[in-house]
Amino acid sequence: MSLRQSALRFQCLYTTARQRIANLQQRSSSHGHADLSYSTASYAPLRSTLRSTKASSVASIAPSRPVNPFRTRPFSTSKPSYDKPKTVQQARSRYVVGPISFLSVSLFIGAGIGLYFYFDYEKARMERKRVAEAAKGVGKPKVGGKFELVDQNWKPWGSERMRGRFALVYFGFTHCPDICPEELDKMASMLDLVAEKLPPSAPNTPNLLPVFITCDPARDTPSVMKTYLREFHEDIIGLTGTWEQIKAVCRLYRVYFSTPQGVKPGDDYLVDHSIYFYLMDPEGDFVEAIGRQHSAEQAAKIITQHMEDWKGSIVKG
């Protein structure tokens, strides 16, 4: 029933009731009070009808209110009824249920730390690759090449023996008073540190070949080289040759060296030369130069990283 219809109905009933009341009052006044009980009794059904009609009309007019799920009855003063946990496990579960929990936060932090170290490692690897590629770039002087010399055992030893292995090449002379012994001590420490990180027996790991080439072939014979290098490390290979051969090798590796003029056999003299370790890859290409500013630990780390990055062919043994 619409609001307009309810109003019209209420108005009609109200008008009818007033007319009947007026008639009853007129009748009672003409016949006395004998029929007053009858008139009152006759009025009772009409009064109940008016009340029910008014209540239905007001209910249709009044707007509907939203139902509050926390009230037990309308206008109740009691506290809302929540579902309280019955056990300790249920109470604890309130703190882990939801999009954010201790486990999710831990996984998020762990993933962030892992990504940080991964990208840091990749950045360092790409930098090493850039350094190695820059040494081979167009317009750069090539470092290294083919040569044939003699080792400390009087046996021929050529650059082809370096193929398939990383080589650490150093130029010096056995009569050097301070710098060469210090650098050879550092070379021995580097070899031990690299061997701890990458054992030569490990599969798919290239070996490191330490090579010492003299800049003073007049005094550094194979026998002298063998006795001298024995004091530093047993794996170091000593190479010597004629003055022309040594000069050619130094030119290949861009090594500067000079001897005093007018030197006679038996004279004591010093040889000026470059002080670098030249790291060569298994294909015979120059990778990086390690200078005096690098400690043994820093140099070993550089060598190990380049060896771990190598994906080409290798020769074991």
Side-chain angles (χ1 to χ4, degrees):
M1 182 182 295
S2 65
L3 179 63
R4 182 179 180 82
Q5 291 175 349
S6 298
L8 291 174
R9 181 181 178 186
F10 178 76
Q11 185 177 4
C12 292
L13 291 174
Y14 181 73
T15 304
T16 305
R18 286 181 61 86
Q19 291 177 358
R20 292 188 65 177
I21 291 172
N23 292 335
L24 289 174
Q25 288 178 351
Q26 184 179 1
R27 186 182 302 177
S28 62
S29 63
S30 60
H31 296 283
H33 297 286
D35 296 334
L36 184 60
S37 60
Y38 171 78
S39 63
T40 305
S42 300
Y43 174 71
L46 180 60
R47 183 171 55 185
S48 62
T49 303
L50 287 173
R51 287 179 178 177
S52 62
T53 304
K54 183 179 180 180
S56 62
S57 301
V58 172
S60 64
I61 296 173
S64 60
R65 295 182 179 180
V67 179
N68 190 347
F70 299 109
R71 292 188 177 275
T72 57
R73 62 182 181 273
F75 306 104
S76 174
T77 58
S78 61
K79 295 182 179 181
S81 58
Y82 298 102
D83 294 333
K84 296 182 180 181
K86 298 180 180 180
T87 62
V88 177
Q89 289 76 11
Q90 291 180 356
R92 290 178 178 176
S93 65
R94 290 177 178 267
Y95 299 97
V96 298
V97 176
I100 299 178
S101 63
F102 178 76
L103 179 60
S104 62
V105 172
S106 300
L107 291 175
F108 178 78
I109 295 175
I113 294 174
L115 288 174
Y116 171 79
F117 283 106
Y118 171 75
F119 285 117
D120 186 66
Y121 169 78
E122 283 297 314
K123 180 181 178 181
R125 187 181 68 84
M126 294 303 295
E127 179 63 20
R128 294 193 300 271
K129 184 177 180 181
R130 185 193 66 80
V131 171
E133 292 296 331
K136 308 175 187 178
V138 178
K140 298 286 184 178
K142 181 177 175 59
V143 177
K146 294 183 178 181
F147 61 84
E148 289 289 338
L149 297 174
V150 178
D151 65 10
Q152 67 265 48
N153 297 316
W154 296 88
K155 295 180 180 179
W157 205 97
S159 57
E160 292 299 324
R161 302 278 294 271
M162 298 165 59
R163 289 284 181 172
R165 305 171 180 86
F166 272 86
L168 190 63
V169 183
Y170 181 77
F171 291 81
F173 63 107
T174 61
H175 290 75
C176 180
D178 46 17
I179 295 178
C180 289
E182 292 176 0
E183 294 300 292
L184 288 175
D185 278 332
K186 186 167 74 174
M187 178 185 249
S189 299
M190 291 158 54
L191 295 175
D192 293 336
L193 292 172
V194 172
E196 290 179 5
K197 182 69 176 180
L198 298 175
S201 59
N204 302 324
T205 301
N207 294 341
L208 181 61
L209 197 65
V211 178
F212 175 81
I213 301 178
T214 182
C215 295
D216 185 17
R219 293 182 295 181
D220 291 342
T221 63
S223 301
V224 173
M225 296 275 287
K226 185 174 184 178
T227 303
Y228 180 73
L229 295 176
R230 192 185 299 160
E231 302 294 330
F232 299 99
H233 201 284
E234 60 182 4
D235 293 338
I236 299 177
I237 299 172
L239 300 179
T240 186
T242 63
W243 191 87
E244 289 78 9
Q245 288 176 323
I246 296 300
K247 184 178 180 180
V249 175
C250 289
R251 187 181 298 111
L252 290 174
Y253 282 84
R254 313 299 171 184
V255 174
Y256 164 79
F257 83 103
S258 66
T259 55
Q261 297 181 356
V263 175
K264 299 179 180 179
D267 290 348
D268 190 15
Y269 57 90
L270 298 178
V271 179
D272 190 16
H273 62 88
S274 303
I275 308 171
Y276 287 102
F277 291 97
Y278 298 86
L279 182 63
M280 314 297 291
D281 68 17
E283 292 181 353
D285 293 324
F286 172 71
V287 177
E288 191 167 346
I290 301 173
R292 298 191 66 188
Q293 72 275 14
H294 296 95
S295 65
E297 290 76 15
Q298 293 172 337
K301 183 178 180 180
I302 293 173
I303 297 169
T304 302
Q305 289 173 342
H306 282 294
M307 293 175 68
E308 289 176 337
D309 294 340
W310 180 255
K311 304 299 181 184
S313 60
I314 60 174
V315 176
K316 303 295 290 184

